[in-house]
Amino acid sequence: MPDDKDTKAKAVKFPFYTKLSAEEKTILETHLQEHTFLRGQEVVRGECTGLIYVDRGRLRAYSLSEEGREVTLYRLEGGEVCLFSASCMLSGFDYPVFVRAETDTRVVLIPAETYKRLSEHSLAVSAFTNELMGKRFSQVLWCMDTILNKKFDARLAQLLLQESEYARSSVLQLTHEQLAAHLGTVREGVSRMLKYFEKEGFVRLSRGGIELIDKEALQEIADSGKKE
């Protein structure tokens, strides 16, 4: 039988917990689940799983084109919540989102049916859903705007700098194929642009790795990449 203190410790991670009634808190605590995913493991494959809280690690939410090409929508780190994994809760939302663990990750999950029940009876949960939905849609729209309106070299430079922040290092253990998946493009295009960056002295390429040599130059490219 799960420890009551441990269950409550998991439940309080959700911002709306303190605003729930005693009955609603019991419902939440009774149905909470905890899962651990290894790096690279799929967390959500387009289905309506429920509300996911990232307790530790990092998740990547992405979409798939009809050709099976991936494009990163946003990342989620410790303390953040994935709403699109509870897509059946969102009125008029019928767009499959996939989620993968980018590092070994532990999550706390409110199953979809439980979250739906709470949302229907609690103004706090409903307000939280609306606020988070606005935030996530804003991130997705920013992603789409970048794809449509930013040059490829700028998008790649921006991604390299972002990955450097995540890794807290100038040396990235990433393949060209992984970068292509983030950008929703083909590996060959990434390879050509990286070779250009290397020729210009911005990066140094090695097997399975990329070292950022001139971050200032990459930042300039990222900042001035609007399509003409």
Side-chain angles (χ1 to χ4, degrees):
M1 188 171 181
D3 183 87
D4 289 343
K5 290 183 178 179
D6 183 53
T7 300
K8 184 174 180 179
K10 296 173 186 174
V12 298
K13 296 176 185 296
F14 293 94
F16 50 77
Y17 177 79
T18 57
K19 298 178 183 179
L20 298 177
S21 68
E23 180 183 358
E24 290 165 346
K25 287 179 180 178
T26 299
I27 293 172
L28 175 59
E29 293 168 8
T30 301
H31 293 89
L32 275 183
Q33 299 175 13
E34 189 174 56
H35 301 279
T36 298
F37 298 92
L38 300 179
R39 179 183 178 183
Q41 194 172 357
E42 294 294 330
V43 179
V44 178
R45 288 292 301 178
E47 69 275 15
C48 186
T49 303
L51 194 71
I52 294 175
Y53 174 91
V54 183
D55 191 42
R56 184 183 64 206
R58 186 171 71 245
L59 300 178
R60 168 183 172 243
Y62 65 98
S63 66
L64 282 175
S65 69
E66 292 183 359
E67 297 79 20
R69 191 174 298 166
E70 298 179 8
V71 58
T72 298
L73 299 176
Y74 54 84
R75 264 79 165 261
L76 296 161
E77 296 191 279
E80 295 189 295
V81 177
C82 183
L83 178 64
F84 288 168
S85 54
S87 57
C88 55
M89 287 291 305
L90 309 178
S91 179
F93 185 83
D94 187 24
Y95 185 79
V97 173
F98 301 82
V99 180
R100 181 181 298 147
E102 285 201 316
T103 65
D104 291 352
T105 303
R106 184 172 63 202
V107 306
V108 179
L109 168 71
I110 303 176
E113 283 303 314
T114 302
Y115 189 60
K116 182 178 181 180
R117 182 177 174 185
L118 290 172
S119 186
E120 289 174 347
H121 293 89
S122 169
L123 289 175
V125 176
S126 181
F128 172 81
T129 301
N130 292 333
E131 181 181 353
L132 189 57
M133 183 167 58
K135 180 180 178 181
R136 293 293 173 241
F137 270 119
S138 177
Q139 289 176 308
V140 171
L141 289 174
W142 177 85
C143 175
M144 294 299 105
D145 179 68
T146 299
I147 292 173
L148 293 171
N149 298 310
K150 207 162 189 178
K151 293 179 181 177
F152 179 66
D153 60 344
R155 292 175 59 212
L156 180 56
Q158 181 175 275
L159 176 59
L160 292 174
L161 292 169
Q162 184 182 58
E163 291 293 337
S164 178
E165 289 183 12
Y166 282 131
R168 294 181 176 83
S169 172
S170 293
V171 179
L172 309 179
Q173 300 301 317
L174 289 169
T175 65
H176 299 190
E177 188 172 359
Q178 287 173 311
L179 292 171
H182 282 302
L183 296 171
T185 187
V186 294
R187 180 183 58 79
E188 291 77 9
V190 170
S191 297
R192 284 194 295 270
M193 189 58 67
L194 284 174
K195 288 178 181 177
Y196 168 74
F197 283 174
E198 183 176 47
K199 181 180 177 182
E200 294 297 313
F202 305 152
V203 304
R204 181 180 296 120
L205 304 180
S206 60
R207 182 176 293 276
I210 304 164
E211 182 179 1
L212 308 193
I213 305 299
D214 192 341
K215 289 187 178 181
E216 289 186 3
L218 290 171
Q219 189 64 63
E220 287 182 10
I221 294 172
D223 291 339
S224 61
K226 283 289 183 181
K227 292 181 180 178
E228 298 178 357

